[in-house]
Amino acid sequence: DGGRCIASSRGQFDDYKIRIWDVANYGNPKTLVGHTGYLKGMLLTGSNNLLTISEDRYLKVWDLKGC
């Protein structure tokens, strides 16, 4: 299942949400909520995880299995 998801954020204009788009299905994105500051970086790993860091000083690991 790897390689068919795109992660996005609207930066400073957002409410700290991350959207996960499944490009194979073109459906509505899944929304990840958990940060309390603007996102500073995201990294999709080969093991279906998304790493995010934000101004709230937390690094989070999101499990995207089944995306």
Side-chain angles (χ1 to χ4, degrees), residues 14-41:
D14 206 354
D15 46 9
Y16 320 128
K17 293 179 182 173
I18 302 159
R19 284 159 185 83
I20 305 298
W21 303 85
D22 183 342
V23 296
N25 295 324
Y26 300 105
N28 291 328
K30 295 179 185 177
T31 303
L32 305 177
V33 179
H35 282 293
T36 59
Y38 299 119
L39 287 177
K40 299 298 244 175

Side-chain angles (χ1 to χ4, degrees), residues 16 35-41 52-60:
Y16 320 128
H35 282 293
T36 59
Y38 299 119
L39 287 177
K40 299 298 244 175
T52 59
I53 190 163
S54 99
E55 287 184 341
D56 63 11
R57 298 183 185 182
Y58 284 98
L59 172 70
K60 294 192 180 276

